[in-house]
Amino acid sequence: MKHPYKTREGGATVTIFVPYDCKNHCPFCINKGEYANLDGFSAEKICKSIERMDAITPYCDFVFTGGEPFADLEALQMMLDKIPTTHKVFINTTLPVSEHQSEDDILAFTERNKHKITCINVSRHMQKYVVESNDALLARLPVPFRVNCVLYKDYPVKDLVPYMERFHKIPGASIQFRFDYTATTPENLYDEEDDKILHDLKKVATYTGLDGCRMRCGFHFDYKGMELTYHKTLPYSTIVETDPKDGVTYDILYDILIKQTGEIHSDWDGTVMDVDAYEKVVFEPYDLKWLARIA
């Protein structure tokens, strides 16, 4: 740690990398290589780190990612049991079904944990990178869900409307289109003039506004009553900034990572967090706010 930590009220989001792999090979995924060797991966150690983070920030958000969280329901349940209901919990998933795990298994799990799960973020890309469960499963989920779609490189623009129509039919669906975060920079984070995805979406949906902060932003749209967001985020989670009020330079944390081994990181580049120092974190109001609203 170079500077004392600062984060938003409630605490930085804690992203948990489950200690087991998925069977997908998405080209924009930077985590796949970490699962080539599972030595040292431990759900038990992750649970201890969850307890540590809960003790420091008992109202922060938790996100399960991977890997594939739903690939091992028993391990996911063990980790989820360590998170009190003071936290919001999000699960990034493809909702995998197989001969070993049925749709009913997933539905039973989500029903059992619906008091804890805030939202399930389901990957459904326009270009097929993953084995997908039936769309009808989404409508049967007993918890809120959102469809995530990375618009990667030369995505098929002609398929945008058919893609939105596909999910418009499903009650409760919303879509978050995502820019390739490995290509996001401070210079293009809020760029509108040269953002091809933004222009493509404005041609087929009604633009309703923009929210954002130092780290990420969201362009909001309406498509026949269905909520759409175009999300962009920087590929790191720490902003170094000097507070003009006290003259102190802080590492401002937006995301904290619990890795597959249980080790706690303060950024996506392998930076190990000084957890003892984080116990003395300074809080600030969350800087995410609406920057434009279109009536």
Side-chain angles (χ1 to χ4, degrees), residues 28-47:
F28 43 80
C29 179
I30 63 171
N31 306 326
K32 191 66 178 178
E34 298 182 15
Y35 288 89
N37 183 351
L38 306 185
D39 290 349
F41 288 13
S42 170
E44 290 78 10
K45 290 181 180 179
I46 289 174
C47 286

Side-chain angles (χ1 to χ4, degrees), residues 184-198:
T184 312
T185 66
E187 291 72 32
N188 68 18
L189 178 62
Y190 281 94
D191 174 56
E192 297 188 36
E193 183 177 350
D194 298 315
D195 191 313
K196 179 181 181 301
I197 295 173
L198 182 61

